[in-house]
Every structure is written in structure tokens, then in C-alpha cells.
């Protein structure tokens, strides 16, 4: 969880009350955050002849993006304590009546396809507010934005640039500007080389370095405002004296784009002259149907069941009582006219973490007080979980194989493309294996479609041990399946391998017979005078099969009949010499 350091005196001033460390720790616990440290109780460094002010280091839950800054913490605690009401965030047009526009060029789809923006007018910065503004951007970049790979924020002094703006993707050599806190103009390629060893910015350069085009935001005079996600321009640099802030947000993830935009503007709209107002921006992005007005600060509407909330918390609250508690958590809520068991809830734009009524129930419990919740014995008897059928079957197979003297192994799920296909004399049709888009090494390129490579690699690394080596695995393999939402499916497979001085065909055959017997499936034969027991309900038999993984004439398919349904459930045989050679056996 992120830890936010805030000035102790300033926070208590904003809260309108001075707390002891123990009292503030209790307040944090009640609200669901945690006081990590009060530095007033320890030695603090002296900077420029002055001792560093006492700080409160507060651990914030990973889902509370709205509390990653001093402004969010003080506002939410004041609402929780009933000292303030939830803000009504409003979009207001500029004095001219004409909104600024940002036109997105189609080429940006190659690098960072999504864009949002906003303007904060008549902002009153102090040094503390300015530092908090920059710190919030940094916290969002490190956490939600995943080191700027998903989202990058740019802030500019609107009085130094002129709209309408464009968001383009240009070759590095065509981008020239003076980067933030520099004096020399550079093109994109020079800038990437300049910052690749920088202490703070080097981690962001690889995000775009190898791309043929770099994203860039330009004003109407073709002045570069920023080169996301690396750095802004010195020309549009903001300072404590900045009154009008133009914010651009670029992203590869649309959902997180909207969240970050809403957080940054709502937290600092409290410093605008007309408090909690934001000037929207028109995004023109016809090529990907993303033209819209941003940000969208309209509260999300949902409903929650009173019976569900009371049932989870073991309470008997009325609709009005629940609504009052939710107002302490910055919601707007009212009893629903649709049903006496429902409440209508308006979720503020700062609470992107609210996804389900269970999240609303949790906030009701926090507002009511966890320590006040009734403690009672469970009204229902305790139960023991039952294993999934696939796991129960897997355990049966594992037990039988182990009792037959075979050792279980657990290789990695990822393997190289060659190990999964070429090494087994199999051809990749492009429709079978799930491939990694950006594998770090050639050893981990695909999700295995067979357990065989893992077994053979295990034997290869242990072939110096005495023979025979008898190993097995019960595990998942993955296949592409475009009919499913996730475009892939898992299957549970069993595989065994015998390595010794002879082929071991009869040994593997015996293991298969034992496992099938324990699964109550009888061997079916059509030989004269022989009849497999139970052949009508569940029976299996083997047929010779031509499989390139195995030696010709020495492989068999395992057929199973359940009732009237017949299917091939596996294959076994002596491995082909080329397969053995590929795995150095």
C-alpha cells in the first residue's frame, strides 16, 4: 500500500483540531487507513538551518486513489467527521464560452492511442499546494499508471501556450523542443539518448525509444507542450505563480485514463477561485470513435440492497440510516422509490474503486464503525469445502501413479516454441498455442499445449542419476479458443515418462492399465473368448496410431467409451529418435 507523508501541523489545521498521536491513529483506524509513523516523536533532519517539519506518514489502501495527496486525505477525513459535505464537482465553460479542443491524429494508435484533458482556471497555488500537485502526479504515475506505461500526465501553464491543440505521433527527428529544466533544444532521438541514463527519467525512455514515432502534444503555433510519457516542455512549465493549468493525459488503457484524469482535477479543483469547478476540453478523435468532452464528472448511479447490507453487517438499519452513513463516506444516497429494499446511490467521480454493492456495504460498515458491529456466533453451522471434481480426479490419478512407484514432477507452465512443437515433430498451425506477446527469453515463449516437454526436460537435467527414471505430472495445459471471452481454455492433463536401458513400452502400458482400473474403466478386447468386464458402461481399448512424436509402428491411441459416447483420450508409445535427440536423451 502507498504511504503518503503529510505535514502534521497543516493537516490538523485543515481538520480544525489537534490530535495526539494515539487519537489520530484511532481516527485513521476508524476510517480504514493506518498511521504508519509520526515523525514528531523522532529526530528530524535539519535542512538549510531549519529542522524538517513534523510529518504524519499514512498508509493508504491501494484502491483509494483519491487519498494519495494531502488534499484528498484532509477532505475525506472532514467529510467522515461531519465537518464538511461531499463536494459537488461541476464543469464550467471558459469566459469566452468556447471550449479548447485537442485533435488526435490517427498515427497515435501506433504508440499511445488514448487522450484526455482538462483545464483548472484561476488556481491559487502556494509552495505547499504546488508541491502536493506534483507529488500526486508522481504517486499516480508510480501506482495506478504502472510507471507511466499505462498513463502519463502532463501539466502546462495555459497562459504560455495557445489552443487549439493537436496530439500527434511523429518521427523522433521531427520533434524539437527544450525539455523541462533544460536550456538546449533537442530532437526526439537526442532527447531519448540524453535521458536514457538520467536518475529519474531513464525508466520511462524505453516505453517509446524503439518506436518509429513518438507521441507529442502541440499547440496552434506548433510549440511542443510535452513528449509523453517522458517529459514536458520548458516553454509551458508550471510554477507557483501559474494561474491557469492545462492538463493532458495520454494512455494505453482507457479505463485508467479516465480514473487518473478525474483524480487529478477533482483533488485540485478545490483551489480554483470558483471552488470544485473544472473547465472541460473537447477531444476530437474520429479515427477510433473517441471524440468526446472530458472530463466526465457526473456521479455514477447504482443501487444497493438494504437486506444485503444489513445481512453482511448483522445490523437492522433503515434506509435513511444507511443513507446517512454513506454521506459520511462522500456518497449521495436516498431511499429508492422502486423498492423498499433498495437505496439509490450516486458514486462520486473520485471513487473509481466502487464496483459492486459489496463495496458500498464495506463503506457502510466503516461509517458505522467496525468496533461497533455486533459480535455473534455464526447463525449457520460451519462447513468444510468440497473439492472441485477435476481436482478430486487429479488427486486420484496422482495417488495411483505414486503408489505404482512413479515420482511426481512439477515443471514450468511456459516453454519455448520449439520445445512445444518442433522438438516433438509437431507443426504449429497458429490456432493452438497461446503465445506471449513480449517474452523476456526464448525459453518462455508459449503456454504449453502438452506435458511432454516438461517431462523430457526434467529427465534431461537428471539423466546422470541411476536408471530407470519414472516420472509423471498432472497439470494444466492451455489452448486457444476464440469462442470464449478470454480466447483460451485450460485442460487438465496427465502424462508419464519412463527412461531406462530398454523402451519401457510395457511399463507405461501397465501404469495406464492401473490408472484406468482405479477409475473403474475396464479394458475392452474383441479377441475370441475374451470379454472385458463392465464394457457396456465404461471401457477402453488401444489402437495403433501414426504420431510423428513416436517411433513408427510403436505408438497407440487410447480410446474410451462411456455409455454410447466414444472418444480418444490419449496416446502412448516409444519416442522418436529425433525427439530424443532434441532433448539430448
Amino acid at each position: 500500500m502507498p504511504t503518503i507523508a503529510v505535514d502534521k501541523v497543516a493537516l490538523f489545521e485543515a481538520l480544525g483540531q489537534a490530535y495526539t498521536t494515539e487519537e489520530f491513529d484511532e481516527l485513521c483506524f476508524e476510517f480504514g487507513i493506518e498511521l504508519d509513523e509520526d515523525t514528531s516523536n523522532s529526530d528530524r533532519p535539519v535542512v538549510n538551518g531549519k529542522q524538517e517539519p513534523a510529518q504524519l506518514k499514512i498508509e493508504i489502501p491501494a484502491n483509494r486513489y483519491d487519498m494519495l495527496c494531502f488534499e484528498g486525505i484532509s477532505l475525506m477525513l472532514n467529510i467522515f467527521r461531519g465537518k464538511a459535505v461531499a463536494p459537488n464537482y461541476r464543469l464550467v465553460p471558459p469566459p469566452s464560452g468556447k471550449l479548447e479542443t485537442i485533435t488526435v491524429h490517427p498515427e497515435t494508435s501506433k504508440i499511445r492511442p488514448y487522450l484526455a484533458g482538462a483545464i483548472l482556471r484561476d488556481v491559487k497555488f502556494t509552495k505547499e499546494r504546488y508541491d502536493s500537485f506534483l507529488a500526486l502526479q508522481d504517486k499516480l504515475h508510480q501506482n495506478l499508471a504502472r510507471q507511466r506505461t499505462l498513463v502519463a500526465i502532463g501539466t502546462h501553464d495555459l497562459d504560455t501556450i495557445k489552443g487549439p491543440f493537436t496530439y500527434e505521433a511523429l518521427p523522433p527527428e521531427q520533434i524539437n523542443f527544450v525539455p523541462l529544466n533544460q536550456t538546449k533544444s533537442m530532437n526526439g532521438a537526442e532527447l531519448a539518448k540524453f535521458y536514457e541514463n538520467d536518475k529519474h527519467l531513464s525508466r520511462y525512455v524505453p516505453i517509446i525509444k524503439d518506436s518509429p514515432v513518438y507521441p507529442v502534444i502541440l499547440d496552434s503555433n506548433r510549440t511542443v507542450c510535452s513528449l509523453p510519457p517522458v517529459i514536458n516542455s520548458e516553454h509551458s512549465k508550471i510554477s507557483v505563480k501559474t494561474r491557469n493549468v492545462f492538463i493532458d493525459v495520454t494512455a494505453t488503457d482507457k479505463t485508467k485514463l479516465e480514473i487518473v484524469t478525474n483524480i487529478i482535477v477533482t483533488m485540485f479543483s478545490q483551489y480554483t477561485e470558483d471552488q470544485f469547478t473544472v473547465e472541460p476540453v473537447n477531444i476530437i478523435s474520429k479515427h477510433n470513435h473517441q471524440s468526446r468532452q472530458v472530463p466526465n464528472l457526473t456521479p455514477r448511479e447504482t443501487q444497493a440492497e438494504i437486506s444485503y447490507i444489513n445481512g453482511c453487517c448483522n445490523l437492522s438499519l433503515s434506509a435513511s440510516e444507511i443513507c446517512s452513513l454513506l454521506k459520511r463516506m462522500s456518497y449521495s444516497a436516498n431511499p429508492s422509490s422502486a423498492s423498499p429494499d433498495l437505496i439509490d446511490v450516486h458514486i462520486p467521480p473520485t471513487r473509481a474503486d466502487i464496483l459492486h454493492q459489496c463495496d458500498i456495504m464495506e463503506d457502510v460498515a466503516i461509517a458505522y464503525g467496525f468496533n461497533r458491529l455486533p459480535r455473534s456466533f455464526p447463525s449457520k453451522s460451519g462447513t468444510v469445502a468440497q473439492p472441485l471434481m477435476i481436482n478430486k480426479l487429479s488427486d486420484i490419478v496422482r495417488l495411483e501413479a505414486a503408489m505404482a512407484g512413479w515420482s511426481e514432477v512439477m515443471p514450468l507452465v511456459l516453454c519455448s516454441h520449439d520445445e512445444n512443437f518442433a522438438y516433438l515433430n509437431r507443426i504449429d498451425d497458429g490456432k493452438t498455442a497461446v503465445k506471449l506477446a513480449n517474452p523476456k527469453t526464448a525459453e518462455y515463449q508459449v503456454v504449453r499445449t502438452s506435458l511432454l516437454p516438461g517431462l523430457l526436460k526434467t529427465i534431461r537435467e537428471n539423466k546422470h542419476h541411476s536408471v530407470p527414471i519414472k516420472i509423471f505430472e498432472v497439470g494444466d495445459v492451455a489452448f486457444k479458443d476464440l469462442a470464449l471471452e478470454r480466447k483460451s481454455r485450460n485442460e487438465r492433463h496427465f502424462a508419464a515418462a519412463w527412461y531406462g536401458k530398454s523402451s519401457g513400452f510395457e511399463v507405461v502400458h501397465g501404469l495406464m492399465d492401473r490408472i484406468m482400473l482405479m477409475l473403474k474403466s475396464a479394458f475392452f478386447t474383441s479377441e475370441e473368448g475374451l470379454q472385458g468386464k463392465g464394457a457396456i458402461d465404461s471401457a477402453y481399448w488401444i489402437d495403433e496410431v501414426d504420431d510423428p512424436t513416436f517411433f513408427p509402428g510403436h505408438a497407440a491411441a487410447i480410446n474410451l467409451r462411456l455409455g454410447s459416447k466414444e472418444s480418444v483420450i490419449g496416446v502412448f508409445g516409444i519416442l522418436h529418435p529425433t525427439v530424443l535427440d532434441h532433448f539430448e536423451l
Side-chain angles (χ1 to χ4, degrees), residues 337-559:
S337 58
S339 169
D341 190 44
L342 293 175
I343 56 171
D344 296 325
V345 182
H346 293 80
I347 304 169
T350 55
R351 296 298 304 275
D353 58 303
I354 306 302
L355 304 175
H356 187 270
Q357 68 172 347
C358 66
D359 300 311
I360 297 172
M361 175 274 297
E362 181 185 10
D363 279 346
V364 169
I366 291 173
Y368 184 84
F370 279 132
N371 285 339
R372 292 178 56 209
L373 293 176
R375 299 182 182 183
S376 61
F377 222 65
S379 58
K380 297 179 181 178
S381 61
T383 58
V384 178
Q386 197 174 25
L388 294 173
M389 293 305 296
I390 184 67
N391 291 335
K392 188 173 182 179
L393 175 63
S394 301
D395 288 341
I396 292 173
V397 173
R398 283 191 182 97
L399 181 62
E400 291 305 324
M403 290 176 65
W406 295 66
S407 300
E408 184 178 11
V409 297
M410 299 179 69
L412 298 174
V413 175
L414 299 179
C415 63
S416 74
H417 184 274
D418 284 346
E419 289 170 349
N420 198 69
F421 291 105
Y423 284 14
L424 299 178
N425 295 336
R426 295 174 180 173
I427 298 174
D428 180 11
D429 60 2
K431 301 177 182 179
T432 305
V434 177
K435 300 177 183 178
L436 275 65
N438 186 26
K440 293 298 182 184
T441 68
E443 192 175 359
Y444 308 121
Q445 295 175 315
V446 299
V447 182
R448 62 185 181 181
T449 60
S450 169
L451 301 182
L452 195 52
L455 295 179
L456 296 179
K457 287 195 292 183
T458 301
I459 293 175
R460 180 186 66 195
E461 300 304 323
N462 293 275
K463 62 184 179 182
H464 58 280
H465 289 289
S466 59
V467 294
I469 296 174
K470 301 189 292 183
I471 59 174
F472 76 92
E473 181 187 3
V474 179
D476 281 359
V477 297
F479 297 95
K480 281 184 180 179
D481 192 337
L482 300 182
L484 299 178
E485 182 182 4
R486 61 183 181 273
K487 309 303 181 186
S488 66
R489 74 177 190 278
N490 283 17
E491 287 185 6
R492 186 69 52 85
H493 282 199
F494 167 78
W498 188 93
Y499 179 71
K501 295 181 179 179
S502 62
S503 66
F505 186 92
E506 69 285 355
V507 180
V508 175
H509 196 332
L511 175 64
M512 179 202 65
D513 287 339
R514 175 63 183 172
I515 290 175
M516 297 302 288
L517 177 63
M518 289 300 100
L519 295 177
K520 298 183 179 180
S521 184
F523 184 72
F524 179 80
T525 178
S526 57
E527 293 183 21
E528 185 178 352
L530 294 175
Q531 180 65 43
K533 183 180 179 182
I536 297 176
D537 296 325
S538 176
Y540 73 98
W541 67 94
I542 60 175
D543 289 328
E544 184 177 341
V545 67
D546 184 16
D547 189 316
T549 301
F550 301 97
F551 199 79
H554 293 73
I558 307 168
N559 300 269

